[in-house]
Amino acid sequence: MTTTITLKDDGPLEVTGDFEMVDDAGVPFRRRKSLWLCRCGHTQRPPFCDASHSEAGFRSCPRAPATASND
């Protein structure tokens, strides 16, 4: 299964697929098939999203270029 990272408009990064997330010491987080990572910096559960972006008024809607490269 492919891992996909989706930048949600005005919200978190949604990660789905086959992946493992570890901290800087190499200790894995609980295994999941999907998770949401905070982009706004206001979460009380770093690195995971707790929907604080809504209250913080976080705004970000990046779009991939029309001719995205695989760099």
Side-chain angles (χ1 to χ4, degrees), residues 1-62:
M1 177 180 237
T2 301
T3 300
T4 302
I5 302 172
T6 306
L7 282 76
K8 304 303 266 181
D9 287 352
D10 304 328
L13 296 171
E14 179 183 19
V15 185
T16 58
D18 188 22
F19 62 90
E20 181 177 42
M21 188 167 133
V22 299
D23 66 17
D24 197 39
V27 178
F29 285 85
R30 184 172 59 92
R31 188 113 172 119
R32 304 174 188 195
K33 289 292 180 190
S34 65
L35 56 81
W36 293 264
L37 298 174
C38 177
R39 287 197 302 144
C40 75
H42 292 275
T43 184
Q44 298 300 305
R45 302 180 322 130
F48 305 105
C49 176
D50 67 2
S52 293
H53 56 272
S54 297
E55 292 178 23
F58 179 72
R59 296 285 179 253
S60 178
C61 300

